């Protein structure tokens, strides 16, 4: 075989091997894997040996908020799958990465806990007997919580209207729940915030939990989700959320209120009843997924308020209503349809994602027959059907003859709307409340409820049907009433961003193994992050990828012979 010269293209000195490129790809892969681990974290895993008399199940990630001190919480089940609330004198041993960090011999007792039960009694809870099923489930929850736990209660709709602190007798809580009535909107963030006020008063040595049940989106709270989360995290209060019903689609809703202010509205103080009912409708408007406009009419049509989410502005417009003149109902409804049509072409539309599938409707109230319109009812029906907009018609009076009930019922029926009759102020308020709930409540906000639970170390449950509430409440009660907790100091008290494996062993007095379980947890560091540190991880990851690409570029440069200048010749593959 002929010998190769140093400048021979097939010489080993000029041959490029695949190893550097492979090392580059490996480097990029490692960086990307580190980014994934840093941004998502690693979920807790727990398991137990089938040979033990008991089984340990860790409830959530070990609490590292006071690192290097770590708290683990767990439940113990017997061989029949029943929760155990006490164990005999036992040796409790905790290993971290195979090294013992905790040992004690004590009778293992459950941890005393302070629990706030927060229940939704909004108007949507009336349907399908949801309020009755929730009352039954809540009663079972309170009765099954052990005597070592304290329980408080919050009842809410669009406001918090009942608060029972942790010192109240359970009989009082049960009575409040039994007498709860479903009406109004939904303000579960406000209710959770109020519950945290009560938990904040609890002694620091007691565990804290908040159990929240709701069947709708939060339309009425003045506090934000992030504010509630921060308060719960500061208090180390875990949130267990239960969402009842279908998942919401975050549909945007646009409505026009067309309100009668004719002279007859001064009779029997009907104008005051209308103002109160319209104010309730405005109170229940979702702040971020709905707007409305207001048209008042007598024999003249007046736009009192363009489409807005400003509840105060809408409320002021309603307050300004003064009875006068005749009744031009048909022209007023047509003005409402014109306003909706014009809004489609305006710059005041919601963002693109909200416009998709946006729901629109007209709500018209009158207490008398039309005697001043230029257009007939047939024109109203034709326009509304052409635009695909339902017109909900409300007749207000003690006799349907006063407002030509059959005619306004025909308008509602032909356009896909609903027809209502209110013969007193209370019924009118109920109708406006029902419309506000039905038009704007499109299901639960699963993402928000899951976030509240996940970021506080609790758990989220989604229940489609109300009868299943009892099982879910029993499950939560069992976990909280039978929870053990142990606090130990980590053997590696540094924030190095690594995973730590822990194992829990419980042995009887004679040395026999009673239960065993294991889990992993992370501490914050360069590559492991949660919450606010994910932004930092993103920057670190980007920097790492850029460095990897630079290295790859250097590795791809053509090879040169020592001492040569100028562009290198292409490297030929070795045969």
């Amino acid at each position: 075989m002929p010998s190769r010269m140093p400048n021979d293209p097939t010489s080993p000195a000029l041959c490029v091997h695949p190893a550097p490129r492979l090392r580059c790809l490996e480097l990029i892969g490692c960086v990307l894997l580190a980014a994934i681990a840093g941004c998502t974290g690693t979920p807790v895993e727990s398991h137990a040996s089938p040979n033990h008399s008991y089984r340990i199940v860790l409830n959530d990630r070990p609490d590292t908020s006071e690192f290097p001190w770590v708290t683990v919480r767990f439940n113990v089940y017997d061989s029949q799958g029943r929760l155990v609330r006490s164990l005999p004198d036992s040796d409790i041993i905790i290993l971290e990465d195979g090294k013992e960090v905790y040992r004690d011999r004590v009778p293992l007792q459950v941890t005393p806990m302070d629990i706030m039960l927060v229940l939704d009694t909004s108007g949507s809870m009336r349907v399908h007997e949801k309020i009755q099923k929730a009352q039954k489930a809540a009663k079972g929850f309170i009765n099954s919580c052990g005597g070592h736990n304290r329980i408080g209660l919050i009842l809410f709709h669009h406001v918090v209207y009942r608060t029972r602190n942790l010192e109240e007798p359970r009989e009082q809580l049960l009575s409040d729940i039994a007498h709860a009535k479903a009406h109004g909107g939904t303000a579960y963030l406000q209710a959770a915030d109020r519950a945290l006020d009560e938990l904040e008063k609890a002694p620091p040595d007691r565990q804290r939990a908040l159990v929240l049940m709701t069947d709708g989106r939060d339309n009425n709270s003045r506090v934000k989700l992030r504010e509630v989360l921060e308060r719960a995290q500061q208090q180390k209060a875990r949130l267990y959320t239960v969402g009842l019903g279908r998942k919401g689609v975050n549909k945007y809703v646009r409505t026009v209120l067309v309100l009668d202010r004719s002279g007859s509205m001064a009779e029997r103080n009907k104008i005051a009843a209308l103002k109160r009912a319209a104010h309730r409708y405005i109170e229940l408007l979702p702040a971020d997924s709905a707007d409305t406009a207001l048209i008042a009419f007598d024999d003249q049509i007046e736009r009192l308020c363009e489409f807005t989410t400003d509840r105060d502005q809408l409320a002021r417009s309603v307050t300004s209503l003064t009875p006068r003149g005749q009744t031009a109902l048909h022209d007023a409804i047509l003005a409402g349809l014109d306003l909706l049509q014009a809004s489609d072409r305006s710059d005041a539309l919601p963002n693109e994602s909200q416009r998709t599938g946006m729901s629109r409707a007209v709500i018209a109230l009158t207490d008398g027959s039309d005697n001043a319109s230029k257009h007939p009812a047939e024109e109203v029906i034709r326009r509304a059907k052409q635009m695909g907009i339902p017109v909900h018609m409300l007749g207000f009076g003690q006799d349907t003859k006063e407002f030509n009930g059959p005619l306004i019922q025909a308008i509602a029926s032909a356009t896909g709307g609903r027809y209502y009759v209110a013969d007193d102020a209370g019924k009118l308020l109920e109708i406006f409340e029902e419309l506000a709930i039905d038009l704007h409540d499109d299901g639960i906000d699963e993402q928000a409820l899951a976030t509240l639970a996940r970021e506080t170390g609790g758990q989220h449950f989604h229940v489609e049907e109300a009868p299943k509430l009892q099982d879910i409440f029993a499950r939560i009660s069992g976990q909280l009433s039978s929870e053990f907790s142990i606090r130990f100091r980590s053997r590696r008290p540094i924030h190095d961003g690594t995973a730590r494996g822990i194992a829990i062993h419980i042995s009887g007095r004679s040395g026999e193994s009673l239960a065993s379980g294991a889990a992993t947890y992370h501490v914050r560091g360069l590559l492991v992050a949660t919450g606010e540190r994910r932004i930092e991880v993103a920057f670190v990851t980007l920097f790492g990828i850029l460095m990897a690409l630079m290295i790859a570029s250097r590795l791809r440069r053509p090879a040169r012979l020592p001492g040569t200048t100028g562009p290198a010749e292409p490297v030929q593959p070795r045969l």
Side-chain angles (χ1 to χ4, degrees):
M1 179 179 296
S3 62
R4 297 187 178 95
M5 299 297 294
N7 60 351
D8 186 343
T10 63
S11 172
L14 294 180
C15 290
V16 176
H17 295 280
R21 293 177 182 174
L22 288 175
R23 284 195 297 272
C24 175
L25 292 176
E26 290 170 358
L27 175 60
I28 295 174
C30 289
V31 171
L32 292 176
L33 286 174
I36 294 172
C39 292
T40 63
T42 302
V44 170
E45 300 175 355
S46 60
H47 52 80
S49 170
N51 298 322
H52 294 133
S53 303
Y54 299 93
R55 179 169 58 95
I56 293 177
V57 176
L58 282 89
N59 294 337
D60 49 56
R61 287 177 172 85
D63 181 1
T64 59
S65 60
E66 296 181 349
F67 189 80
W69 288 99
V70 180
T71 301
V72 290
R73 302 183 181 94
F74 56 93
N75 292 113
V76 179
Y77 295 81
D78 65 16
S79 59
Q80 304 299 315
R82 295 169 300 196
L83 283 162
V84 175
R85 294 191 177 181
S86 64
L87 288 171
D89 289 354
S90 310
D91 276 332
I92 304 170
I93 304 170
I94 296 181
L95 307 179
E96 183 182 76
D97 295 337
K99 304 292 185 180
E100 184 176 311
V101 291
Y102 178 93
R103 178 188 289 268
D104 199 359
R105 172 176 284 274
V106 293
L108 194 57
Q109 301 292 332
V110 294
T111 306
M113 186 168 294
D114 286 336
I115 305 167
M116 289 299 298
L117 180 60
V118 183
L119 298 179
D120 185 349
T121 65
S122 60
S124 54
M125 290 289 290
R126 285 194 298 261
V127 300
H128 306 308
E129 297 185 334
K130 287 192 286 187
I131 187 67
Q132 290 85 356
K133 299 296 191 297
Q135 287 168 324
K136 184 177 180 180
K139 178 181 177 181
F141 178 87
I142 291 173
N143 287 333
S144 62
C145 279
H148 58 289
N149 294 326
R150 299 191 304 171
I151 305 177
L153 176 68
I154 298 287
L155 298 179
F156 71 94
H157 36 68
H158 55 282
V159 296
V160 175
Y161 68 90
R162 179 76 70 244
T163 300
R164 297 295 180 188
N165 63 45
L166 296 162
E167 302 291 345
E168 299 274 1
R170 297 191 181 188
E171 292 77 12
Q172 183 63 64
L173 276 59
L174 293 171
S175 175
D176 290 339
I177 292 171
H179 291 92
K181 304 296 182 184
H183 66 93
T186 305
Y188 65 74
L189 290 175
Q190 203 77 45
D193 190 61
R194 182 69 187 87
L196 289 170
D197 288 342
E198 296 301 319
L199 288 175
E200 195 170 24
K201 304 172 187 176
D205 60 333
R206 295 180 69 89
Q207 299 293 323
R208 304 174 187 186
L210 190 160
V211 180
L212 165 67
M213 189 282 297
T214 184
D215 77 327
R217 299 179 64 86
D218 191 311
N219 296 332
N220 303 109
S221 290
R222 297 187 179 275
V223 297
K224 303 299 183 182
L225 184 143
R226 179 52 55 184
E227 294 174 299
V228 174
L229 274 177
E230 289 175 355
R231 285 199 67 194
Q233 290 166 348
Q234 289 170 0
Q235 295 186 29
K236 299 182 182 179
R238 287 172 284 158
L239 270 65
Y240 292 78
T241 56
V242 181
L244 173 60
R246 60 188 174 85
K247 300 177 182 179
V249 295
N250 198 23
K251 177 177 62 178
Y252 199 90
V253 180
R254 171 162 284 174
T255 56
V256 182
L257 292 177
V258 180
L259 305 180
D260 189 344
R261 67 176 182 192
S262 61
S264 58
M265 288 293 290
E267 301 171 4
R268 301 190 300 274
N269 210 21
K270 286 188 286 186
I271 193 68
L274 171 59
K275 290 179 180 180
R276 180 176 174 227
H279 279 136
R280 175 59 60 84
Y281 180 89
I282 293 167
E283 286 176 3
L284 301 181
L285 283 175
D288 58 352
S289 61
D291 57 25
T292 195
L294 178 60
I295 292 177
F297 70 93
D298 40 78
D299 49 294
Q300 302 295 319
I301 313 299
E302 183 180 1
R303 292 184 182 179
L304 293 182
C305 196
E306 301 288 339
F307 289 109
T308 182
T309 59
D310 188 337
R311 298 176 187 173
D312 292 336
Q313 181 183 355
L314 288 164
R316 288 193 298 270
S317 297
V318 169
T319 302
S320 71
L321 294 174
T322 303
R324 63 174 182 254
Q326 301 299 310
T327 304
L329 173 64
H330 305 155
D331 289 356
I333 297 174
L334 287 171
L337 293 171
D338 288 341
L339 192 56
L340 282 169
Q341 190 171 46
S343 73
D344 287 346
R345 300 188 296 268
S346 74
D347 296 330
L349 285 170
N351 61 51
E352 185 64 36
S353 63
Q354 291 174 320
R355 282 202 300 271
T356 305
M358 181 173 69
S359 176
R360 301 179 297 170
V362 172
I363 301 170
L365 175 139
T366 186
D367 76 327
S369 298
D370 192 306
N371 56 16
S373 284
K374 299 176 182 179
H375 301 87
E378 290 75 16
E379 176 66 10
V380 172
I381 293 173
R382 186 190 68 79
R383 284 282 309 282
K385 290 177 69 175
Q386 183 182 40
M387 295 176 64
I389 294 176
V391 181
H392 304 289
M393 299 297 304
L394 287 69
F396 187 23
Q398 296 179 345
D399 188 344
T400 57
K401 294 179 181 178
E402 296 179 15
F403 48 78
N404 196 347
L407 180 61
I408 67 172
Q409 184 176 14
I411 294 174
S413 177
T415 61
R418 302 177 193 171
Y419 169 60
Y420 299 91
V421 176
D423 56 6
D424 60 34
K427 182 64 176 177
L428 187 65
L429 180 68
E430 183 180 312
I431 290 171
F432 269 87
E433 186 176 278
E434 180 180 330
L435 277 167
I437 294 169
D438 290 349
L439 291 175
H440 299 109
D441 190 356
D442 69 337
I444 63 170
D445 188 345
E446 176 122 28
Q447 182 177 357
L449 294 174
T451 299
L452 285 170
R454 181 182 63 253
E455 295 197 20
T456 60
Q459 192 171 355
H460 171 63
F461 302 86
H462 177 220
V463 187
E464 288 278 358
E465 301 170 355
K468 296 181 180 178
L469 278 175
Q470 197 164 5
D471 292 338
I472 296 299
F473 271 75
R475 179 176 172 184
I476 298 173
S477 173
Q479 286 186 8
L480 296 181
S481 299
S482 308
E483 184 176 85
F484 303 93
S485 66
I486 297 176
R487 187 168 181 259
F488 67 90
R489 182 178 174 83
S490 172
R491 57 182 294 270
R492 285 190 288 154
I494 54 173
H495 291 275
D496 57 5
T498 60
R500 316 290 177 90
I502 59 173
I504 304 175
H505 299 284
I506 302 177
S507 302
R509 181 173 298 178
S510 302
E512 73 278 13
S513 180
L514 298 178
S516 180
T520 59
Y521 74 94
H522 285 107
V523 294
R524 292 181 177 181
L526 180 61
L527 296 180
V528 179
T530 58
E532 70 278 7
R533 290 182 59 86
R534 291 180 183 173
I535 297 175
E536 297 175 36
V537 172
F539 281 110
V540 172
T541 301
L542 179 60
F543 177 79
I545 292 174
L546 290 174
M547 290 296 296
L549 292 175
M550 290 174 61
I551 295 172
S553 176
R554 294 181 65 87
L555 291 174
R556 285 198 301 268
R557 289 182 180 177
R560 295 188 182 93
L561 286 172
T564 62
T565 61
E569 294 294 327
V571 176
Q572 301 296 324
R574 188 160 109 185
L575 299 178

